[in-house]
Amino acid sequence: MTHTRFKINEMFETIQGEGVFTGVPAVFVRLQICNVGCAWCDTKQTWTAEPEQQRSFGDIILKQGDDPTWSEVSADDIVVMYNQQGFNAKHIVITGGEPCEYDLTELCKAFEAIGCQCQIETSGTSEVRVTESTWVTVSPKIAMKGKLPVLTSALERANEVKHPVATEKNISQLDELLAQAALRKDVVIALQPISQKPRATELCIETCIERNWRLSVQTHKYLSIA
């Protein structure tokens, strides 16, 4: 059996700051590699995995701040490190980068085996490969630099569609995407203002009230936590 190797940028315990699980204690597993190219991305250090930036997992777990260093590890390595660090949170957020560059099934199974619940945060531009019980948050990235289409299969697997919004055009783009997919009946649709811009926030609030959608606020940025 071939085991997936993951390039990991960082792993830390904090509070989930956005989406359905806002306020829930969580361990974030941030994976390296992303080809989407969002202009406003706040984790551009995860876009590539340069060989000279490879480090030991021990170095990665101690890292402070954003930098492009990474370590190549297995699912078992990640769970062992979770236990060694004495993390309390049972909610695991697998993010990136673009986590769906990898088959995440093995990693989700490894965490579920020790009583954790997994959530992934994906752009929807790669195939979603996770366990059935994994909570899938798709944050559609439309017409980005990488020119990757948002996959209908990703939208149809989503438990939550959390859409970044700057202008009304972004809402129209989301409408077009959703019209093409057979969404889950219980899917949560949330709008998230980009970069806490006042007009974007106002637009999201108005639209959420009108459509009975949910507002996602990046509370971690207001609280100045990771």
Side-chain angles (χ1 to χ4, degrees):
M1 178 178 177
T2 301
H3 294 286
T4 304
R5 302 288 292 178
F6 302 93
K7 292 179 171 61
I8 186 170
N9 177 272
E10 60 180 340
M11 180 174 173
F12 58 92
E13 191 170 45
T14 185
I15 297 291
Q16 171 61 289
E18 58 191 50
V20 168
F21 293 99
T22 296
V24 173
V27 170
F28 276 69
V29 176
R30 188 179 304 285
L31 301 179
Q32 200 82 5
I33 302 295
C34 184
N35 296 310
V36 180
C38 303
W40 66 83
C41 178
D42 56 6
T43 57
K44 291 182 179 180
Q45 73 276 7
T46 66
W47 285 9
T48 62
E50 303 301 333
E52 65 271 18
Q53 298 290 354
Q54 186 170 4
R55 302 288 186 272
S56 71
F57 198 6
D59 288 338
I60 294 301
I61 202 72
L62 295 174
K63 147 163 98 165
Q64 299 291 322
D66 298 336
D67 70 56
T69 56
W70 56 274
S71 183
E72 189 169 79
V73 295
S74 68
D76 288 343
D77 292 333
I78 294 173
V79 171
V80 166
M81 184 63 78
Y82 168 93
N83 287 322
Q84 288 179 349
Q85 293 300 304
F87 291 142
N88 289 315
K90 296 297 183 183
H91 187 73
I92 310 299
V93 181
I94 305 170
T95 185
E98 172 45 70
C100 289
E101 293 278 351
Y102 302 87
D103 183 339
L104 299 171
T105 308
E106 190 178 349
L107 182 56
C108 294
K109 283 182 177 179
F111 272 117
E112 289 170 3
I114 61 169
C116 293
Q117 160 75 39
C118 292
Q119 173 189 6
I120 68 162
E121 296 184 343
T122 175
S123 64
T125 58
S126 295
E127 181 185 354
V128 178
R129 294 166 290 177
V130 295
T131 60
E132 186 176 345
S133 58
T134 297
W135 181 275
V136 176
T137 300
V138 175
S139 183
K141 301 303 190 293
I142 304 166
M144 295 296 124
K145 183 179 179 181
K147 302 187 185 304
L148 300 175
V150 176
L151 302 181
T152 300
S153 62
L155 291 169
E156 293 180 346
R157 174 59 182 84
N159 302 98
E160 172 184 17
V161 176
K162 179 166 58 69
H163 189 55
V165 171
T167 67
E168 291 182 6
K169 177 182 177 181
N170 301 128
I171 296 173
S172 296
Q173 290 173 328
L174 176 62
D175 285 338
E176 291 176 11
L177 270 184
L178 299 183
Q180 299 169 16
L183 301 174
R184 291 179 177 228
K185 291 182 179 179
D186 59 351
V187 67
V188 176
I189 308 293
L191 301 183
Q192 183 165 288
I194 292 175
S195 303
Q196 298 81 52
K197 293 180 179 178
R199 176 56 193 139
T201 301
E202 181 183 357
L203 177 60
C204 287
I205 291 172
E206 291 171 353
T207 306
C208 287
I209 291 173
E210 177 185 325
R211 303 189 184 196
N212 203 27
W213 287 352
R214 186 176 299 200
L215 179 70
S216 174
V217 178
Q218 293 180 296
T219 57
H220 54 289
K221 294 188 176 179
Y222 290 98
L223 297 172
S224 299
I225 61 174

